[in-house]
């Protein structure tokens, strides 16, 4: 199992306070990784779990709707941990409205958070990875990297963009021994999907299409994340791995 070990590695995980980011941060720590949790509110539960495993955890306070603090996040991580081995671009937001009524601000905020911050942070981290001989970048895509969705135009645009950027970064960064892949979660019970879970009609429609017969949990992402963060995936590059209980196969 040594090829899956993350002992001695450092990961930046954005949005590690709740949901999928928390599940992934905890999974990477279980595999031996130290974690910098980047987000705009403290994450005491994530911190307690990770330090309880004997791993280091550092909360870094940053609003990722804007890009102005991103270089400082990377510089601080390098100063305190020596390098960045793994980046998980997880933090993301969603806004819902009919296409004809969709406000421009909800377009701008979602694109800035889900797409532009991912670009700026990945670029800053990849420069460090290049100088250190390699690394792993994991982007969090979506079923809406493959499908259109409804009432979430900026989210669909952003997650389709994440899929394209994953492939572009994989192409350009492979020569530096940096592998860039994405996880595309299916329907996972988190704050992001609370509006769907609490709508009995939509919830039943969604559940009816999931072959696994249940909504996903953040913990369901751990295995894919450890695989894509570890040397077990050294020849996997530019792949978008659906962790969706079979949704896309339906
Ligand atoms: P979530 O619990 O709402 O997680 C989103 C995370 O992003 C939270 O930790 C949140 O921090 C952080 N965040 C939001 N705005 C931020 C900002 N301005 N600056 C810094 N951090 C910010 O929902 P989730 O479902 O786990 O979402 C995580 C990722 O998975 C997102 O990229 C989402 O698009 C993607 N995804 C989710 C699903 C699903 O079914 N749930 C499916 C496919 C993809 P706070 O909690 O402190 O605001």
């Amino acid at each position: 199992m040594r090829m899956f070990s993350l002992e001695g590695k450092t990961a930046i995980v954005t949005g590690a306070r709740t949901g999928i980011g928390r599940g992934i941060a905890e999974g990477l720590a279980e595999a031996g990784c130290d974690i910098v949790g980047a987000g705009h509110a403290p994450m005491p539960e994530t911190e307690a779990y990770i330090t309880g495993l004997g791993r280091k955890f550092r909360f870094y306070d940053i609003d990722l709707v804007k890009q102005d603090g991103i270089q400082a996040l990377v510089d601080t991580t390098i100063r305190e941990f020596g390098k960045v081995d793994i980046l998980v671009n997880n933090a993301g937001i969603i806004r819902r409205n009919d296409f004809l009524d969709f406000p421009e601000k909800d377009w701008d905020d979602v694109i800035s958070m889900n797409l532009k911050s991912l670009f700026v942070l990945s670029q800053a981290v990849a420069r460090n990875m290049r100088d250190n001989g390699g690394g792993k970048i994991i982007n969090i895509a979506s079923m809406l990297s493959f499908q259109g969705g409804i009432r979430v135009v900026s989210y669909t645009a952003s997650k389709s963009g994440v899929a394209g950027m994953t492939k572009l970064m994989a192409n350009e960064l492979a020569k530096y021994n940096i592998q860039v892949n994405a996880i595309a979660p299916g329907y996972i019970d988190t704050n992001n999907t609370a509006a769907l879970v609490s709508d009995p009609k939509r919830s039943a429609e969604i559940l009816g299409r999931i072959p696994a017969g249940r909504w996903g949990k953040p913990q369901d992402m751990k295995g894919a994340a450890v695989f894509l963060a570890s040397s077990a995936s050294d020849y996997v590059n530019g792949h978008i791995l659906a962790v969706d209980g079979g949704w896309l196969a339906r």
Side-chain angles (χ1 to χ4, degrees):
M1 298 300 287
R2 262 202 307 274
M3 67 167 68
F4 293 95
S5 172
L6 302 178
E7 300 250 344
K9 307 277 187 196
T10 299
I12 295 176
V13 182
T14 65
R17 189 181 76 81
T18 55
I20 291 170
R22 179 176 169 190
I24 289 177
E26 293 181 356
L28 298 184
E30 285 166 18
C33 198
D34 294 327
I35 305 291
V36 175
H40 58 174
M43 2 188 130
E45 289 159 330
T46 313
E47 174 160 15
Y49 184 86
I50 290 171
T51 54
L53 295 169
R55 309 307 338 159
K56 285 192 214 142
F57 179 86
R58 204 255 198 227
F59 166 59
Y60 191 90
D61 192 357
I62 183 167
D63 178 0
L64 287 165
V65 168
K66 299 173 287 191
Q67 289 76 42
D68 46 10
I70 286 177
Q71 189 60 51
L73 159 65
V74 178
D75 292 344
T76 301
T77 305
I78 295 166
R79 195 168 59 247
E80 295 184 9
F81 292 80
K83 60 190 183 336
V84 188
D85 302 290
I86 299 152
L87 168 64
V88 182
N89 283 306
N90 164 78
I93 53 175
I94 191 163
R95 302 273 166 81
R96 299 177 196 279
N97 214 324
D98 293 342
F99 178 80
L100 293 180
D101 300 324
F102 206 86
E104 202 175 321
K105 179 164 180 2
D106 287 346
W107 172 271
D108 288 341
D109 286 351
V110 172
I111 296 294
S112 184
M113 162 84 252
N114 296 6
L115 209 48
K116 188 169 179 188
S117 284
L118 182 149
F119 159 62
V120 175
L121 179 56
S122 299
Q123 186 185 55
V125 166
R127 287 174 177 152
N128 180 253
M129 290 175 169
R130 173 198 59 196
D131 296 344
N132 283 312
K136 303 276 187 180
I137 298 177
I138 303 170
N139 297 324
I140 303 303
S142 165
M143 295 297 96
L144 302 189
S145 302
F146 305 99
Q147 301 175 305
I150 44 172
R151 307 189 74 243
V152 288
V153 61
S154 55
Y155 187 80
T156 299
S158 73
K159 293 299 183 177
S160 299
V162 167
M165 280 178 65
T166 299
K167 294 174 200 165
L168 175 133
M169 288 194 282
N171 290 339
E172 287 203 32
L173 300 176
K175 60 178 174 287
Y176 304 117
N177 188 32
I178 300 168
Q179 290 85 47
V180 186
N181 294 286
I183 293 172
Y187 283 81
I188 316 300
D189 188 359
T190 68
N191 296 338
N192 176 289
T193 49
L196 300 178
V197 174
S198 63
D199 177 338
K201 186 166 170 287
R202 279 290 283 138
S203 182
E205 276 168 11
I206 288 165
L207 190 58
R209 194 192 144 155
I210 303 174
R214 65 170 176 85
W215 282 65
K217 303 185 293 283
Q219 293 77 5
D220 289 319
M221 305 300 127
K222 283 182 180 179
V226 169
F227 170 60
L228 293 176
S230 71
S231 63
S233 61
D234 280 352
Y235 202 59
V236 180
N237 208 4
H239 186 64
I240 300 164
L241 177 56
V243 183
D244 64 350
W247 170 276
L248 284 179
R250 197 77 159 208

